[in-house]
Amino acid sequence: MERELKAHSRGDRNKYTAMDSWKSVIWFQHPEPLNTFAKMWYHVFLWALFSSIFVHTVAGLIAFLTLRKHKFGKFFPILILFMGVVTPVMSGIISSAAIACVYRYSSYPMQPSYALLWGVGQTVLSACIGFTRILATL
């Protein structure tokens, strides 16, 4: 324990690394591979969250432009935007952790661009399931 505290007080950045900010994740400011579970999970989760917010914002704008004269329909885009945040927060936490777990336990470092693909892939898969209504047939 003392050794860890001394390493921390010396400023040893190799042992203690802070999480990247969401801006550095989105703009790929740290091109080095992701080696820890937390960093892998964080990057995949942020990409899933922001891609879902983007898709649901576009859908909300389309819904608002279509239903703007309807008495109650003009409030429907608020629910769309709400689901654009809630869905990746609830399901994205678990699926991003599963992806990061596979990479971590196989000792395979994840490139930041792979985190982008995994995160956007979660949004695409969610959209495909929503459009095909597979869950309604079960």
Side-chain angles (χ1 to χ4, degrees):
M1 180 76 170
E2 280 182 38
R3 194 166 134 207
E4 290 177 6
L5 291 174
K6 287 179 184 176
H8 185 63
S9 64
R10 280 195 320 251
D12 188 5
R13 301 296 283 172
N14 293 333
K15 186 155 178 100
Y16 300 98
T17 56
M19 297 300 288
D20 299 331
S21 71
W22 65 270
K23 291 179 185 177
S24 66
V25 172
I26 299 300
W27 296 109
F28 292 109
Q29 292 178 347
H30 300 289
E32 65 268 358
L34 310 170
N35 294 327
T36 64
F37 171 80
K39 282 190 173 188
M40 289 180 208
W41 172 83
Y42 182 68
H43 281 242
V44 173
F45 172 71
L46 281 181
W47 279 113
L49 178 67
F50 287 123
S51 63
S52 178
I53 288 172
F54 174 76
V55 167
H56 284 82
T57 300
V58 171
L61 286 173
I62 292 170
F64 179 74
L65 293 174
T66 305
L67 300 169
R68 69 180 178 268
K69 293 182 181 178
H70 193 274
K71 185 176 179 181
F72 298 111
K74 60 185 168 192
F75 300 111
F76 190 66
I78 295 170
L79 295 174
I80 293 174
L81 293 175
F82 179 71
M83 288 308 295
V85 174
V86 170
T87 302
V89 167
M90 300 305 279
S91 65
I93 288 174
I94 297 167
S95 57
S96 298
I99 293 167
C101 197
V102 168
Y103 271 84
R104 181 68 186 122
Y105 287 117
S106 65
S107 299
Y108 188 71
M110 181 186 287
Q111 298 295 328
S113 58
Y114 291 176
L116 164 76
L117 292 175
W118 281 112
V120 173
Q122 289 179 43
T123 301
V124 169
L125 184 64
S126 173
C128 289
I129 289 172
F131 278 121
T132 58
R133 299 185 44 87
I134 290 173
L135 293 177
T137 61
L138 295 178

